[in-house]
Amino acid sequence: MKNKYIWMMLVCAFFTACSTTRNLPEGETLYTGIDHLEVVNEDESPAGVAALEEVEAALAYAPNNAILGSSTLRWPLPIGLWVYNAFEKYQDKKGVGRWIFDHLGTSPVLMSSVNGETRAKVATNLLRDYGYFNGSVKYEEVPQKNPKEAKVNYIIDMAQPYFLDSIAYLKYPVYADSLIRTTRQQSVLKSGDNFSVIKLEEERQRISTLLRNNGFYHFRPEFTVYRADTLQKTGYVSLQAVPEAGIPEEAKRQYYIGNTSVY
């Protein structure tokens, strides 16, 4: 039993002495997680919470030995990285060393694969999809004690959201226009709500389903487009929903039940 404990201690000492960055490719840095994520001008409304969840999801990226996929919390012992560096020389060979490398080693997560700058741009676009047209996400790389390791900081500025002002439905065929007007209460677009591209898509789907269920068999969601005006009223968007120019004639045609035979 004593020899077993001595062996375990030797193994732990071996892995503790191993570097986590020894075999990084030239010019690469090991990503060790998000150091700080700051939210400026946070919108705590339900719409703001939903937008922030999407933005944070776009920025999230788990480092090596992350706890439950967290971007910030890590297990203190990066055993997978130690094994990777200790047995990297066996990756092109056969035998026990290759088996240990393949099954117990973990490839390092590199800063180049995180691509924080691109993630910040994607997150900024998400803010705008949710109506935060003046919002932005900034990215900063934070060096660590080991010069081959780095964390990232993100600053999310939600700024002031834009809201829906008026919503008009124009240029639909007469009967289609009547259907849309009589079901306005079912619209997901409400004056005073936060502007949201997601809601715009939901409304396109609603209009398409409504028209198809009432005989416009070939009408599809993409046949509805929006015109947006942000100049009429500061901080508000005036919307017009219209059929796309040049849609097929059959999409404008209402179909009826013809002769029915029952056998």
Side-chain angles (χ1 to χ4, degrees):
M1 183 66 69
K2 182 178 179 181
N3 289 337
K4 179 179 179 181
Y5 285 122
I6 292 174
W7 172 247
M8 291 175 64
M9 291 175 65
L10 288 173
V11 170
C12 290
F14 167 73
F15 284 129
T16 302
C18 285
S19 167
T20 57
T21 58
R22 186 176 64 194
N23 292 312
L24 291 180
E26 187 68 26
E28 288 285 4
T29 306
L30 181 69
Y31 166 71
T32 55
I34 294 177
D35 183 56
H36 186 62
L37 194 153
E38 180 182 357
V39 181
V40 181
N41 297 315
E42 183 173 357
D43 179 4
E44 297 183 355
S45 69
V49 170
L52 189 57
E53 286 179 353
E54 290 287 333
V55 169
E56 290 180 346
L59 299 176
Y61 201 93
N64 290 102
N65 58 293
I67 297 177
L68 300 176
S70 171
S71 298
T72 57
L73 302 176
R74 304 172 67 205
W75 297 107
L77 302 179
I79 295 175
L81 279 176
W82 289 339
V83 172
Y84 177 90
N85 282 281
F87 290 88
E88 190 268 344
K89 59 187 176 183
Y90 296 103
Q91 64 175 316
D92 296 324
K93 300 179 181 179
K94 296 181 179 180
V96 176
R98 170 66 180 273
W99 186 92
I100 293 175
F101 178 83
D102 288 343
H103 292 84
L104 302 180
T106 304
S107 300
V109 178
L110 305 176
M111 287 295 295
S112 60
S113 63
V114 176
N115 207 335
E117 185 175 357
T118 298
R119 287 181 179 276
K121 291 178 180 178
V122 170
T124 297
N125 289 335
L126 276 173
L127 281 177
R128 291 169 184 171
D129 285 348
Y130 278 90
Y132 300 88
F133 296 149
N134 298 318
S136 65
V137 179
K138 295 181 180 179
Y139 156 80
E140 178 187 24
E141 195 169 307
V142 184
Q144 302 298 291
K145 290 181 179 179
N146 182 341
K148 290 188 176 182
E149 293 183 355
K151 291 180 179 288
V152 296
N153 284 343
Y154 293 106
I155 300 176
I156 304 169
D157 186 352
M158 299 187 76
Q160 184 68 27
Y162 274 67
F163 301 94
L164 288 176
D165 186 18
S166 59
I167 303 104
Y169 300 82
L170 307 174
K171 299 184 179 180
Y172 285 90
V174 175
Y175 186 68
D177 180 75
S178 177
L179 285 169
I180 293 171
R181 289 180 184 279
T182 56
T183 59
R184 280 293 294 268
Q185 293 301 317
Q186 299 173 20
S187 173
V188 298
L189 303 177
K190 309 290 186 184
S191 295
D193 284 356
N194 285 50
F195 177 88
S196 168
V197 170
I198 289 81
K199 292 292 185 182
L200 297 188
E201 183 57 33
E202 287 181 18
E203 182 64 1
R204 291 173 76 187
Q205 293 285 347
R206 186 190 75 86
I207 292 173
S208 175
T209 300
L210 173 67
L211 297 186
R212 285 170 61 89
N213 286 346
N214 286 274
F216 294 89
Y217 184 73
H218 292 289
F219 199 92
R220 298 201 299 268
E222 58 268 28
F223 292 159
T224 291
V225 296
Y226 294 100
R227 300 170 181 166
D229 186 347
T230 59
L231 300 178
Q232 291 186 24
K233 188 176 179 181
T234 303
Y236 285 81
V237 180
S238 296
L239 278 180
Q240 292 181 350
V242 298
E244 184 180 29
I247 65 173
E249 286 300 317
E250 59 265 25
K252 304 176 186 177
R253 177 184 171 189
Q254 188 176 20
Y255 287 75
Y256 301 89
I257 296 176
N259 294 329
T260 303
S261 299
V262 180
Y263 294 91

